[in-house]
């Protein structure tokens, strides 16, 4: 009897051990957190075509007193890659608005005031009567251009070709009252001019259209296509 009792206890112990082993071998339940999804990087909106060099159709002229620069929004006029002109840049609403390499969105009065603001002084020595024998005077100015995607700022002498190979040498002629009266819109002319706000002192008035001493054309090998927005940057020459 004692033997049967011991055997029964042994069997029950074995069963309980098997149950314990089965429980201990069961895989532990784990709670897995879902992988966090990365937020997509914010995409910068590309600049509008007219936003270049700090100017735009909304703000077409920018004065930087510290850098002593005046930046004007313009557009390339591809017509003058193959035709001659005496105008570097003219306000779009002037009577000569379609006659320049660069069509400007700032008018002559705004341009004049901006140049005065950076410390340029007008020469005011040009008249229609003395133009053929007179070179424009006033503060010497540099002009550079750039556009979205340009490799650098290009000097005016790289983007406008002088048939004689001379350097364009702009000076602040002034001519504010003539500019208002004539309404040509001329900002920068390529021979000395009694109307343009600045003009090229390398030649006297009439050197392009009257004596044909020189011709000027835009450099289509460097400039972008017709209609491209350009920032024209004027500064006091060092």
């Amino acid at each position: 009897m004692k033997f049967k009792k011991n055997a029964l206890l042994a069997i029950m112990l074995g069963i309980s051990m098997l149950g314990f082993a089965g429980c201990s071998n069961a895989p532990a339940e784990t709670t897995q957190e879902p992988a966090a999804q990365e937020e997509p990087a914010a995409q910068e909106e590309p600049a509008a075509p007219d936003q270049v060099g700090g100017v735009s159709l909304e703000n077409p002229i920018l004065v930087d007193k510290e850098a002593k620069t005046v930046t004007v929004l313009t557009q390339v006029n591809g017509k003058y890659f193959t035709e001659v002109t005496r105008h570097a840049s003219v306000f779009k609403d002037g009577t000569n608005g379609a006659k320049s390499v660069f069509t400007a969105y700032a008018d002559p009065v705004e341009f004049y005031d901006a140049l005065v603001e950076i410390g340029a002084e007008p020469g005011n020595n040009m008249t229609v009567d003395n133009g053929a024998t007179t070179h424009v005077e006033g503060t010497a100015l540099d002009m550079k251009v750039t556009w979205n995607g340009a490799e650098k700022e290009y000097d005016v002498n790289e983007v406008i070709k002088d048939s004689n190979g001379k350097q364009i040498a702009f000076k602040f002629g002034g001519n504010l009252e003539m500019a208002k009266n004539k309404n040509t819109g001329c900002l920068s002319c390529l021979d000395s001019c009694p109307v343009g706000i600045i003009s090229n002192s390398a030649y006297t008035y009439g050197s392009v259209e009257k004596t044909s001493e020189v011709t000027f054309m835009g450099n289509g090998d460097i400039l972008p296509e017709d209609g491209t927005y350009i920032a024209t940057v004027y500064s006091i020459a060092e």
Side-chain angles (χ1 to χ4, degrees), residues 168-189:
I168 296 168
F170 283 128
K171 290 190 177 178
F172 183 20
N175 307 318
L176 182 59
E177 292 308 312
M178 281 287 283
K180 290 178 180 178
N181 294 336
K182 295 294 184 181
N183 193 36
T184 62
C186 295
L187 270 59
S188 49
C189 300

Side-chain angles (χ1 to χ4, degrees), residues 8-22:
L8 183 59
L9 288 172
I11 291 170
M12 292 177 65
L13 180 61
I15 292 172
S16 65
M17 290 295 291
L18 285 172
F20 177 78

